[in-house]
Amino acid sequence: MALLMLVYETPGPHTVRGLAAQLSVSKPVVTRALNTLAALGYLRRERDEADGRNIFVVRTEMGADFLEGFGSFVTQHGIVSDDAAREAGRVFEPLRN
């Protein structure tokens, strides 16, 4: 979940190396999590057109839908306040692209 949130909440481009550094974990940890999240359709890998050696981790529509649904679940079950939920909605809406 930390990886998913990091990709959706911070501006990219995101690389496995950069995400590992931000999360203070090894690259294999990020790779395993990314494999799972990509299989679910929540994130995907995209080759850098300018430098084909680089692979970026990018958002997907399905991932944005999942986070939106997760936010609704958290709100409906009183896990966060309505103000926090509204703020999260403002944060995630522009990130759907």
Side-chain angles (χ1 to χ4, degrees):
M1 191 60 138
L3 176 61
L4 188 62
M5 297 293 291
L6 185 60
V7 171
Y8 277 83
E9 287 189 6
T10 60
H14 299 286
T15 62
V16 170
R17 180 179 297 199
L19 292 166
Q22 288 181 293
L23 293 170
S24 299
V25 298
S26 68
K27 291 189 300 183
V29 168
V30 171
T31 297
R32 283 191 303 271
L34 178 56
N35 288 343
T36 300
L37 293 168
L40 293 169
Y42 297 163
L43 294 173
R44 66 182 165 82
R45 292 173 173 93
E46 188 173 276
R47 189 167 297 279
D48 181 3
E49 292 181 18
D51 183 348
R53 297 172 296 177
N54 293 330
I55 304 292
F56 296 129
V57 178
V58 296
R59 305 166 181 138
T60 66
E61 185 71 25
M62 190 178 288
D65 291 343
F66 167 77
L67 287 174
E68 187 175 303
F70 181 74
S72 295
F73 173 84
V74 168
T75 302
Q76 289 172 359
H77 289 83
I79 297 169
V80 298
S81 69
D82 289 338
D83 290 339
R86 278 191 292 279
E87 182 61 29
R90 284 194 294 275
V91 168
F92 287 120
E93 188 55 36
L95 298 178
R96 295 177 78 68
N97 300 325

